[in-house]
Amino acid sequence: MQQFHLSGGIEFYSFRQTRFKQGALSIQFVRPMKKEEAACNALLPAVLLRGTKRDPDLRSITLRLDDLYGASVSALVRRVGDYQTTGLYCSFMEDKFALDGDEILAPMLDFVGELLLEPVTEKGVFSENYVESEKKNLISTIETEKNDKRVYASAQLMKILCRNDSFGLPRLGEKEDVEKITAQNLYDHYRKVLSESPVQVFYVGSAEPAQVAKLLTKQFEKISRAPVMLAPQTALAGGDGGHVTEKMDVAQAKLCMGFVTPITNRTADFAAMQVMNTVFGGGMTSKLFMNVREKLSLCYSVGSAYYGSKGVLTVSAGIDEGKEKIARDEIMAQLEACKNADITEEELIAAKEAVLSALRTIHDSPGAIEGYFATAALSGQGMDPQAHGAAIAAVTGADVARVARTLCYHSSFILARE
């Protein structure tokens, strides 16, 4: 991955490869994660994708993409640590596979420029019909996530755990904030995003980086830019924990537990914490799965997740009513086993191989390459997967125990049956 600094606060990352027939490009406007603008950032790319001055509706957009050999453009909204991004992701055929005389990359970037800079407007703001239509779609997506009780319980835990930190905010914002959006205030926010936001562009394909940089510069020079630099990523903000129980009509209770650690993906022990999470609850060979679920039958499902951008580890379990205390106790017992280095060689090998296997999939597709490097850049971590793989391979059982001892129990959420 090569990095280039373009004018106007634009960071361009190019990963040159010739193995795939498809290229990929993402443009991300990076914003601080804030409740007052999270919903606008989530809604904005969906509205931009509704039409341009040249292609003012979805049918015209589809025909334009068909002319580009079936290229695709989709909304891109990420939440990584303290940042939220709003932008577009594109996938398109490489020029060398097109018919003689046809180009795809250059007209594709022209089209993306139109989507970003020449949206359909009415009376100087976004089309009210497009905004209201996409608001309904976004609210539907938010409500769908709430209807998934496992996802809902995990989100509620994050709100408790991160009550003093923006990491507790939902990636797509809150329903009530979406409802407040108007064509006027969304357009005002759009102008602010174009002017102030740092921009990260990732390209995966066979074109020369200088060629892509020239095409990008052509688009962005149309904008008056005064980028505001963002504060560096931070570990989770301090604060007291909380333990909340909510009752709902559910088939089984959901137990979610949250832990904090000073180890993030920007510290030297990141690789060891990834392996520790996998030993503890990150797969079917983990202690939580093998003991809490298989051996003791205390839950239907159980697993842990480590959020390296903030130094947060969570455990989620689907349990029978009345088994909350014993499930909690056994989860804590398995964590104590990790802290005490009660880890077999087989568990350590399986965990390391699982992490390394996931790392190797980075190069499986242009989209996977873009996703890895874009997330790494936003996190503020190193972007060399080979070096990271070597660090994973070098983790010992003593390392796993040492980083496990940095974990402190913080909060929990129970979604219980009514």
Side-chain angles (χ1 to χ4, degrees):
M1 180 65 75
Q2 295 176 273
Q3 181 177 358
F4 304 85
H5 304 284
L6 306 184
S7 61
I10 299 164
E11 297 295 321
F12 171 49
Y13 301 84
S14 177
F15 190 96
R16 197 159 186 223
Q17 60 78 32
T18 58
R19 294 186 298 119
F20 306 112
K21 291 184 177 181
Q22 294 282 321
L25 183 135
S26 67
I27 299 179
Q28 302 184 114
F29 295 84
V30 188
R31 306 292 301 167
M33 190 71 190
K34 294 180 179 179
K35 176 175 171 56
E36 55 266 32
E37 66 173 66
C40 282
N41 291 332
L43 183 65
L44 179 57
V47 172
L48 294 177
L49 285 169
R50 290 296 297 267
T52 70
K53 290 178 180 177
R54 174 180 166 181
D55 301 293
D57 52 41
L58 290 176
R59 183 177 182 277
S60 300
I61 294 287
T62 299
L63 291 173
R64 183 83 172 270
L65 290 170
D66 286 345
D67 287 341
L68 291 168
Y69 287 78
S72 65
V73 186
S74 56
L76 183 62
V77 181
R78 288 186 168 114
R79 195 273 305 277
V80 179
D82 299 325
Y83 304 155
Q84 182 188 27
T85 70
T86 181
L88 301 174
Y89 175 85
C90 318
S91 178
F92 44 87
M93 185 186 292
E94 291 274 32
D95 282 354
K96 63 184 178 181
F97 294 105
L99 296 174
D100 289 345
D102 282 0
E103 285 186 307
I104 301 174
L105 177 61
M108 187 73 206
L109 283 176
D110 285 341
F111 180 46
V112 170
E114 292 174 34
L115 287 168
L116 288 173
L117 307 178
E118 301 176 25
V120 173
T121 57
E122 297 172 355
K123 299 179 182 178
V125 299
F126 286 128
S127 161
E128 185 172 349
N129 286 338
Y130 285 175
V131 171
E132 292 304 315
S133 175
E134 293 305 326
K135 281 171 61 176
K136 291 178 182 177
N137 291 338
L138 181 55
I139 288 171
S140 177
T141 300
I142 292 171
E143 290 180 335
T144 297
E145 291 186 356
K146 184 174 181 179
N147 291 335
D148 184 326
K149 300 303 183 279
R150 180 185 60 81
V151 173
Y152 174 75
S154 296
Q156 294 304 105
L157 171 67
M158 281 299 186
K159 289 181 180 180
I160 300 164
L161 184 67
C162 307
R163 63 180 65 184
N164 297 315
D165 193 289
S166 66
F167 199 61
L169 297 171
R171 177 179 66 93
L172 300 178
E174 302 279 8
K175 175 183 176 182
E176 60 268 24
D177 294 322
V178 178
E179 291 173 337
K180 296 174 185 175
I181 295 174
T182 65
Q184 179 69 64
N185 62 31
L186 183 63
Y187 190 80
D188 292 343
H189 182 68
Y190 159 71
R191 301 305 304 175
K192 182 178 179 180
V193 166
L194 288 183
S195 172
E196 295 183 0
S197 305
V199 179
Q200 292 184 351
V201 182
F202 288 82
Y203 167 70
V204 181
S206 61
E208 289 282 356
Q211 175 194 358
V212 185
K214 183 178 180 180
L215 293 170
L216 289 168
T217 301
K218 172 187 171 184
Q219 299 301 328
F220 280 101
E221 66 186 6
K222 302 172 185 176
I223 314 170
S224 177
R225 297 268 299 153
V228 177
M229 300 311 296
L230 300 176
Q233 293 275 16
T234 62
L236 184 71
D240 296 332
H243 306 283
V244 175
T245 298
E246 180 179 336
K247 292 187 180 294
M248 193 180 289
D249 182 16
V250 292
Q252 61 180 236
K254 309 294 181 186
L255 166 63
C256 295
M257 302 168 66
F259 303 80
V260 297
T261 172
I263 297 171
T264 70
N265 53 19
R266 300 171 295 281
T267 56
D269 281 328
F270 174 51
M273 184 58 80
Q274 281 188 300
V275 176
M276 182 273 150
N277 172 64
T278 309
V279 169
F280 176 47
M284 294 180 67
T285 62
S286 68
K287 288 184 176 295
L288 292 184
F289 187 88
M290 296 302 295
N291 293 283
V292 183
R293 183 186 187 278
E294 295 294 287
K295 184 178 178 181
L296 299 175
S297 300
L298 293 177
C299 55
Y300 300 99
S301 61
V302 66
S304 64
Y306 171 53
Y307 301 90
S309 59
K310 298 301 290 185
V312 169
L313 185 144
T314 62
V315 174
S316 178
I319 61 175
D320 275 331
E321 201 75 18
K323 289 188 176 180
E324 176 192 336
K325 183 180 184 307
I326 189 171
R328 276 180 185 271
D329 291 345
E330 190 56 34
I331 289 168
M332 295 302 293
Q334 296 306 319
L335 180 58
E336 283 301 310
C338 292
K339 292 181 177 182
N340 295 330
D342 182 9
I343 303 164
T344 67
E345 188 67 18
E346 290 76 13
E347 286 176 320
L348 181 62
I349 291 172
K352 289 164 66 171
E353 180 53 36
V355 180
L356 288 170
S357 178
L359 199 58
R360 286 192 288 268
T361 65
I362 289 166
H363 297 284
D364 283 355
S365 69
I369 294 170
E370 185 278 336
Y372 173 82
F373 285 104
T375 302
L378 289 166
S379 297
Q381 73 181 91
M383 294 196 295
D384 185 345
Q386 188 173 2
H388 187 54
I392 294 291
V395 172
T396 66
D399 293 330
V400 171
R402 175 171 50 80
V403 299
R405 289 193 287 271
T406 69
L407 286 163
C408 297
Y409 182 41
H410 188 280
S411 300
S412 69
F413 175 80
I414 305 293
L415 185 61
R417 295 176 64 183
E418 291 181 331

